[in-house]
Amino acid sequence: MSIVESLEASAKANNYKAINKVWLEIGPFSGVEVNALEFSFDVAIRGTIANGAQLEIIQTQANAWCFSCDKTVVVKQRYDACPLCNSSQLTVTGGEELKIKQISIKE
């Protein structure tokens, strides 16, 4: 529902008539179940400015910075070791996002 609220706020602020496509960027550590989001999006947009809008999901990679080798690396799990040096001293720097990347409006 917060996604729909954001879409409606953006549409109101910019005088959009309708939204026909939404691109969402979702990271693997966001805690979002993509299939559930797709289903609930269709239900949530009914009767809103985005009614009937197509949803495009952009799944991002999870990144972490390694303290030992001073590199940014791609990780599959939150507590993975560094794939370059096998250190476990990593801090997650990406992959937690859930954001509206882009919207397409009807003219």
Side-chain angles (χ1 to χ4, degrees):
M1 287 306 294
S2 64
I3 294 167
V4 174
E5 290 169 3
S6 293
L7 292 172
E8 287 196 314
S10 179
K12 184 177 181 179
N14 295 290
N15 295 320
Y16 300 154
K17 303 264 187 269
I19 296 171
N20 62 3
K21 190 168 184 178
V22 178
W23 288 264
L24 290 181
E25 201 168 70
I26 302 176
F29 300 155
S30 67
V32 173
E33 173 55 47
V34 173
N35 290 335
L37 176 67
E38 289 172 329
F39 173 78
S40 61
F41 182 80
D42 288 338
V43 173
I45 61 173
R46 290 182 188 155
T48 71
I49 193 87
N51 190 40
Q54 180 184 357
L55 178 63
E56 184 78 30
I57 303 290
I58 303 164
Q59 293 184 324
T60 63
Q61 293 183 341
N63 296 315
W65 184 74
C66 179
F67 287 90
S68 296
C69 68
D70 195 28
K71 303 275 188 210
T72 298
V73 295
V74 175
V75 291
K76 302 268 186 233
Q77 305 265 338
R78 187 172 289 280
Y79 299 106
D80 279 356
C82 175
L84 301 176
C85 72
N86 209 32
S87 170
S88 60
Q89 295 180 332
L90 300 172
T91 186
V92 172
T93 57
E96 297 174 330
E97 55 278 337
L98 169 58
K99 65 181 180 181
I100 299 169
K101 180 75 173 174
Q102 184 177 344
I103 60 175
S104 173
I105 60 170
K106 292 180 185 174
E107 297 290 331

